[in-house]
Amino acid sequence: MSGDANALDKAALAPYLEAHIPGFAGLSAIEKFKSGQSNPTYLLTAASGRYVLRAKPPGQLLKSAHQVDREFRVMQALGSTAVPVPRMLHLSGEDSPIGRMFYVMEFLDGRIFWDPSLPDASGNAERTAIYDAMNATLAALHDVDVVAVGLSDFGKPGSYFERQFARWTSQYRASETETIADMDRLIAWLETHMPADDGRVSLVHGDYRLDNMIFAKDGPKVIAVLDWELSTLGHPFADLAYQCMQWRLPHASGFRGLGGVDRAAAGLPSEEAYVAVYCRRRGIDGIGNWTFFLAFSFFRLAAICQGVYRRALDGNASNPEKAKTYGQAVKLLAALAVDLIDRKS
């Protein structure tokens, strides 16, 4: 094995997979995907086909983070719904041959769009259709009957935003490396502007964005939604605001937002139009407290980035060099959020 803490021992893993996955045979190669910061993900090539393995990262981990078993459970449950997910094949225990928990799922061959302006699409008509498919998939996710699919205990009762605010404030403080005035101000604003719980509860993805989806090679159809680590029972508007928040980020930044992109010229929907179509699909009149939902999304992503940055400093990041840039990203996100709340106050 190499000195890479994320490297997998093929000789130890192969017999385990053959014993636990029906039909698995002849593991010949393991290749780590370059994308992904939280849970290292690998392409397995075997005589029996291609598979994807997703594992917890090595090293000391923050409490409640990197729960690959939750990812496995939610995708397994969604296999019978209108939400497209890969087929789940196996979940290991912590005492696996790689020394940490992992799961294996089917490999789906399709397109992943890393740039939300969709320069690789065939034209404006396909760009419009891709965004509409993403919108329809989000609405379908929030319409899932969590009781029917066995996920009624997948989150805690009570206000989702209060719980998430407490969780991510704690995570941020646990991984804080310097005082960022805008983050402190944002945290204080969110605490004093917390909306009353309106009783809406659905399954939420937690990281719903274009590059966490696989699209068919031959058309604008979503064939899989990936990266469910942050999924839980929560408020559906959190997913919607998180996606729209990302589009507000500078296109030239590492976040590849849509800030500065002429959406109309590219065939992409405006934020207002996207939200309106979502509301129509779900049969709701509109969304209040939009500024809070957006500001919360900036805060939550900043807290996540701070955790990635701290892991890079501690030597546990999945992609160390990229992770180190996340320290500056925290400051950008906090500044954008403060600007948002200042303009709306």
Side-chain angles (χ1 to χ4, degrees):
M1 291 186 65
S2 73
D4 182 359
N6 284 293
L8 302 185
D9 185 345
K10 186 172 68 174
L13 190 59
Y16 175 91
L17 296 178
E18 290 179 2
H20 289 87
I21 299 177
F24 189 99
L27 178 61
S28 58
I30 302 174
E31 179 184 356
K32 183 176 178 292
F33 289 104
K34 293 181 180 178
S35 61
Q37 282 298 317
S38 183
N39 296 322
T41 307
Y42 309 81
L43 174 64
L44 308 181
T45 303
S48 52
R50 288 187 287 179
Y51 308 80
V52 174
L53 183 151
R54 189 160 162 87
K56 284 188 175 185
Q60 188 69 31
L61 305 177
L62 287 172
K63 182 182 178 182
S64 80
H66 312 287
Q67 298 182 70
V68 296
D69 49 333
R70 283 180 65 85
E71 283 193 288
F72 180 88
R73 180 186 173 191
V74 71
M75 285 191 280
Q76 190 173 54
L78 289 172
S80 61
T81 73
V83 181
V85 289
R87 188 163 52 94
M88 297 294 103
L89 300 175
H90 177 68
L91 174 67
S92 81
E94 295 283 5
D95 58 345
S96 77
I98 67 170
R100 55 194 193 273
M101 185 181 289
F102 69 85
Y103 66 86
V104 178
M105 58 186 169
E106 71 172 323
F107 171 81
L108 292 171
D109 194 10
R111 296 180 293 172
I112 296 179
F113 297 108
W114 299 103
D115 185 333
S117 67
L118 298 175
D120 298 329
S122 61
N124 281 12
E126 187 178 39
R127 292 188 189 98
T128 300
I130 286 170
Y131 271 73
D132 192 61
M134 182 164 51
N135 187 296
T137 301
L138 184 62
L141 168 62
H142 295 159
D143 282 338
V144 167
D145 184 335
V146 294
V147 175
V149 299
L151 293 175
S152 59
D153 63 343
F154 202 61
K156 297 177 181 178
S159 172
Y160 171 76
F161 287 104
E162 287 182 4
R163 286 188 286 111
Q164 286 282 296
F165 177 72
R167 174 189 175 183
W168 290 109
T169 299
S170 173
Q171 296 273 36
Y172 175 74
R173 296 304 186 197
S175 56
E176 195 172 11
T177 51
E178 65 178 298
T179 297
I180 300 175
D182 283 340
M183 275 298 284
D184 290 342
R185 186 170 166 217
L186 176 58
I187 289 169
W189 186 91
L190 290 169
E191 189 169 20
T192 57
H193 289 77
M194 185 72 59
D197 185 12
D198 63 5
R200 295 182 190 271
V201 178
S202 70
L203 180 63
V204 294
H205 180 275
D207 195 13
Y208 196 82
R209 63 178 196 251
L210 184 67
D211 58 339
N212 274 336
M213 301 175 197
I214 302 176
F215 284 79
K217 283 189 168 182
D218 57 356
K221 177 184 178 183
V222 181
I223 62 172
V225 180
L226 305 174
D227 198 358
W228 292 84
E229 182 198 350
L230 298 173
S231 61
T232 187
L233 296 188
H235 201 293
F237 298 166
D239 273 343
L240 184 65
Y242 178 80
Q243 186 170 31
C244 292
M245 174 273 300
Q246 288 186 316
W247 297 344
R248 290 166 173 258
L249 295 171
H251 184 256
S253 72
F255 289 105
R256 298 179 296 266
L258 286 176
V261 173
D262 186 340
R263 293 195 192 188
L268 306 178
S270 67
E271 180 177 297
E272 294 77 12
Y274 190 86
V275 171
V277 170
Y278 168 88
C279 289
R280 185 167 67 247
R281 281 192 162 112
R282 300 213 59 231
I284 55 181
D285 294 332
I287 299 174
N289 294 312
W290 189 238
T291 298
F292 174 87
F293 299 141
L294 286 171
F296 177 83
S297 296
F298 278 109
F299 157 71
R300 180 172 164 276
L301 183 57
I304 292 170
C305 290
Q306 183 64 38
V308 174
Y309 179 55
R310 180 60 181 264
R311 286 201 306 279
L313 297 181
D314 293 345
N316 293 332
S318 175
N319 187 336
E321 288 308 310
K322 183 177 180 182
K324 290 176 183 177
T325 68
Y326 278 50
Q328 291 302 313
V330 176
K331 297 175 182 177
L332 168 65
L333 291 163
L336 289 170
V338 166
D339 180 62
L340 171 69
I341 61 180
D342 281 346
R343 284 186 287 109
K344 295 296 183 180
S345 60

